[in-house]
Amino acid sequence: MLHHKLNYLCPVAISSCILILLFLSRQSSADVPPSSATPPVSPVAPVSSSNVCRSTPDPSFCKSVLPNNNSSSNVYDYGRFSVSKSLSAARKFLSLILKYLSHSKDLTITAVRALQDCEFLAECNIDFLLSSSKVVNGTSKILPTLEAEDVQTLLSAILTNTQTCLDGLQATASTWSVRNGLTAPLANDTKLFSVSLALFTKGWVPNKKKIPSHPTKKHLAFGNGSLPLKMSEQNQAVFQTVSRRNLLQSTDDDGSQVLVNDVVIVSQDGSGNFTTINDAVAAAPNNTDGTYGYFLIYITAGVYQEYVTIAKYQKYVMMIGDGINQTIITGNHSFVDGWTTFNSSTFAVVGQGFMAVNITFRNTAGAIKQQAVAVRNGADLSTFYSCSFEGYQDTLYAHSLRQFYKECDIYGTVDFIFGNAAAVFQNCNLYPRLPLSFQFNAITAQGRTDPNQNTGTSIQNCTIRAADDLASSNISIQTFLGRPWKPYSRTVYMYTYMDNIINPLGWHEWIGDLGLNTSYYAEFSNTGPGSKTSGRVDWLGFHRINATDAVNFTVANFLIGDGWLWQTGVPYTSGLLA
């Protein structure tokens, strides 16, 4: 009975249970905000592998993989060696996955799906490690903040991808030979990737971030007079209408603009370029860098029963709909029906720079189908503005990399905002729904597994109220701000209105004492009857913070958002509220 209940309450609880001993073996004090750092030691000074490994989460494992020469190696040398070794391990693991998939006829469909997730995630890891390798091999000095943040984000995502693969295998792969053959390599790779992240943080990341200045606001427009445009006159006219209606335009006549290179229209009545969203996505260009602007997909009002993926090579795609509950993308894949949590999503986005405006994303599987994701977001520098996410368990999978959500509505029950991205939510409405009779609601389940990951969930100036079904129910349902899915879970609420549905304890354990002392849960300047902190949990991981600590989780500091968010034209608050 307990096992059955855990399946309902956890995104992938089985793997968490199996790996508790692995995580608890890492000795660490309670997590701290990202501004804290270890005492500065010159990364160019010669140092033994034993000494350099003291700054990693698992010193014993670190010493077993780094070369033991005590002569002239420094942090940069060890870091480069570790990244190179990590790249070799990632390639070896991908080969192992492909070997298992070559015998897919002997496996269950759930095992094959889990392996396919691992294949995709391993490919991403290779890409991320290649990018990281170029940086670490190119310099032996502390990097500028933006460049350091880019690489730390990639190395953090590598750990997330590896954990996601393991979670999926443990939860759904029914073939024991697959589990047994892959669990040990994944565990070793996780520890190796952790070493690479720790050494990069020690050698290349500045102790104090230098935040870029806040640029001027932008508004949507065509090009800048010098860039080529492919839009027909008809599409240009449609774009002008869409942009004026859906995004705020600058009030300053400074010529700044969000570049759009092309626009296509999706309309179910045949009046646009495409009748399905997937056909429009297929028309998006590959591997653009944003220089020529967004590829804009305007989706007219309608209910689109499609499973949509924005691939990793489809960068700087923008989708604009006709409004929440007007343009709706819906599906019903779920864990119960044989999908992994990772691939149960109605809408999945991986391509960098993705942006969505005025769209509702739904998963209609219902509470009884357990994990059922509406949106899975693994797109770096992605933005959702004025969108709605509707589901029950695991509605919004903020999987990895850097993400921003503004004025969005998010509905769900168990862990309905989860994942291990660096994600900021501003001015959003969080609506706990009516769960199954034996369940409680948890708004967040943040999945940080390593103290050096620059990830976490920051909820700012939002509103937490019961959804209509919960508000009108006579059933007593417990609702919590979050629970530690992984040992270094990190979630902060600030300036947020909390209605009386929030349990006075605020936070709920996952299983046993996992993460209670190593997580970082914080509250600052919240309001409403559910915001009183006098009765909160007494975990070492819970903090009542002041403005000095809270500023670490703002857009400017946590996402380095002033370096990229301005390009979207979406309004945002850079620092703390005045």
Side-chain angles (χ1 to χ4, degrees):
M1 185 64 179
L2 177 60
H3 177 271
H4 181 68
K5 185 173 182 180
L6 283 174
N7 265 341
Y8 277 80
L9 291 178
C10 307
V12 273
I14 299 173
S15 62
S16 296
C17 302
I18 291 175
L19 293 176
I20 285 175
L21 291 178
L22 171 63
F23 289 129
L24 292 183
S25 66
R26 294 182 176 182
Q27 299 300 313
S28 175
S29 60
D31 198 9
V32 293
S35 61
S36 298
T38 54
V41 176
S42 174
V44 296
V47 62
S48 69
S49 59
S50 295
N51 284 335
V52 80
C53 284
R54 291 176 182 172
S55 63
T56 66
D58 191 338
S60 178
F61 177 84
C62 175
K63 286 187 288 185
S64 73
V65 296
L66 292 186
N68 186 23
N69 59 9
N70 299 326
S71 54
S72 59
S73 293
N74 58 29
V75 171
Y76 295 115
D77 297 322
Y78 291 122
R80 281 188 279 269
F81 178 87
S82 178
V83 170
S84 176
K85 194 173 181 68
S86 293
L87 180 57
S88 296
R91 286 172 167 158
K92 184 177 180 181
F93 183 73
L94 176 59
S95 297
L96 184 59
I97 291 293
L98 294 175
K99 180 180 177 180
Y100 277 104
L101 282 172
S102 68
H103 300 286
S104 59
K105 64 181 184 299
D106 301 322
L107 302 174
T108 64
I109 185 62
T110 54
V112 171
R113 286 171 175 166
L115 286 169
Q116 288 171 339
D117 289 350
C118 290
E119 178 186 8
F120 168 76
L121 293 163
E123 289 172 347
C124 289
N125 280 356
I126 292 171
D127 291 342
F128 294 166
L129 282 163
L130 284 170
S131 296
S132 302
S133 180
K134 289 180 182 178
V135 175
V136 300
N137 288 332
T139 183
S140 294
K141 62 180 181 181
I142 293 173
L143 293 169
T145 296
L146 289 176
E147 192 173 356
E149 193 78 9
D150 286 345
V151 178
Q152 189 177 9
T153 296
L154 294 180
L155 294 176
S156 295
I158 289 164
L159 279 166
T160 302
N161 290 343
T162 307
Q163 184 65 50
T164 302
C165 170
L166 182 58
D167 287 341
L169 290 170
Q170 298 288 6
T172 63
S174 58
T175 305
W176 279 101
S177 61
V178 174
R179 294 190 192 185
N180 293 341
L182 296 175
T183 299
L186 278 170
N188 283 332
D189 288 354
T190 296
K191 290 188 283 188
L192 178 58
F193 299 156
S194 176
V195 171
S196 294
L197 175 59
L199 295 180
F200 178 80
T201 302
K202 186 173 181 64
W204 284 268
V205 175
N207 287 330
K208 187 174 183 180
K209 296 179 181 180
K210 185 177 181 181
I211 308 302
S213 59
H214 195 309
T216 58
K217 293 181 180 179
K218 289 203 169 190
H219 64 275
L220 280 175
F222 305 120
N224 61 5
S226 62
L227 298 179
L229 295 169
K230 295 180 277 187
M231 284 182 276
S232 66
E233 290 183 5
Q234 177 187 6
N235 282 0
Q236 289 186 23
V238 170
F239 169 71
Q240 294 284 16
T241 302
V242 171
S243 63
R244 281 195 296 270
R245 185 167 68 250
N246 291 284
L247 286 181
L248 296 180
Q249 293 202 14
S250 174
T251 56
D252 302 321
D253 188 18
D254 58 5
S256 62
Q257 52 196 221
V258 176
L259 299 180
V260 173
N261 185 42
D262 200 3
V263 59
V264 296
I265 304 163
V266 180
S267 182
Q268 291 176 324
D269 64 8
S271 61
N273 304 96
F274 303 99
T275 57
T276 70
I277 298 170
N278 276 303
D279 285 344
V281 169
N286 295 339
N287 295 314
T288 60
D289 62 4
T291 302
Y292 292 92
Y294 287 97
F295 179 81
L296 171 60
I297 301 173
Y298 168 44
I299 309 170
T300 62
V303 178
Y304 296 83
Q305 296 182 342
E306 300 185 49
Y307 296 94
V308 180
T309 297
I310 310 299
K312 63 181 179 180
Y313 51 81
Q314 294 174 308
K315 301 177 181 179
Y316 294 95
V317 172
M318 180 190 296
M319 288 184 171
I320 297 181
D322 272 334
I324 290 175
N325 293 328
Q326 298 298 312
T327 298
I328 301 167
I329 306 174
T330 183
N332 63 0
H333 287 171
S334 69
F335 181 85
V336 168
D337 288 337
W339 300 91
T340 62
T341 301
F342 187 78
N343 64 29
S344 70
S345 57
T346 300
F347 189 93
V349 55
V350 187
Q352 179 176 310
F354 175 79
M355 183 174 170
V357 184
N358 285 1
I359 300 173
T360 289
F361 303 91
R362 285 181 183 159
N363 190 311
T364 61
I368 195 67
K369 292 299 182 75
Q370 302 179 36
Q371 299 96 323
V373 176
V375 168
R376 186 191 83 231
N377 185 5
D380 199 21
L381 311 179
S382 56
T383 306
F384 286 80
Y385 178 38
S386 188
C387 289
S388 182
F389 306 84
E390 300 177 11
Y392 288 85
Q393 183 170 341
D394 294 359
T395 302
L396 174 55
Y397 196 172
H399 179 259
S400 57
L401 304 169
R402 292 165 287 191
Q403 310 176 7
F404 180 68
Y405 301 81
K406 179 75 171 188
E407 296 178 16
C408 292
D409 298 336
I410 309 168
Y411 297 80
T413 56
V414 180
D415 309 330
F416 65 92
I417 300 173
F418 76 112
N420 194 25
V424 173
F425 297 79
Q426 278 189 358
N427 302 88
C428 294
N429 297 306
L430 312 182
Y431 293 113
R433 304 176 83 167
L434 183 66
L436 297 174
S437 59
F438 57 83
Q439 292 179 325
F440 57 83
N441 286 332
I443 296 173
T444 65
Q446 208 282 328
R448 188 163 169 257
T449 61
D450 191 285
N452 290 303
Q453 287 179 305
N454 59 351
T455 56
T457 298
S458 179
I459 296 174
Q460 307 169 7
N461 202 31
C462 293
T463 298
I464 303 171
R465 296 184 190 274
D468 289 345
D469 60 347
L470 180 59
S472 61
S473 172
N474 293 324
I475 303 173
S476 178
I477 297 296
Q478 300 295 312
T479 297
F480 297 88
L481 298 173
R483 58 189 187 134
W485 181 23
K486 303 297 181 184
Y488 293 95
S489 178
R490 181 160 62 179
T491 301
V492 177
Y493 287 83
M494 62 178 80
Y495 301 116
T496 290
Y497 177 85
M498 302 178 182
D499 211 347
N500 59 9
I501 60 170
I502 300 300
N503 185 289
L505 289 171
W507 307 85
H508 197 284
E509 69 276 4
W510 185 269
I511 181 171
D513 61 355
L514 176 67
L516 303 191
N517 298 327
T518 53
S519 59
Y520 186 88
Y521 286 151
E523 298 181 47
F524 170 71
S525 197
N526 299 306
T527 59
S531 68
K532 298 176 182 177
T533 61
S534 57
R536 291 298 195 243
V537 293
D538 59 359
W539 310 340
L540 289 178
F542 173 70
H543 306 269
R544 300 172 183 86
I545 58 175
N546 57 25
T548 301
D549 294 325
V551 75
N552 292 304
F553 300 98
T554 59
V555 164
N557 285 281
F558 197 52
L559 295 182
I560 318 297
D562 289 337
W564 61 274
L565 256 179
W566 60 277
Q567 301 173 66
T568 68
V570 173
Y572 68 94
T573 300
S574 178
L576 294 174
L577 295 177

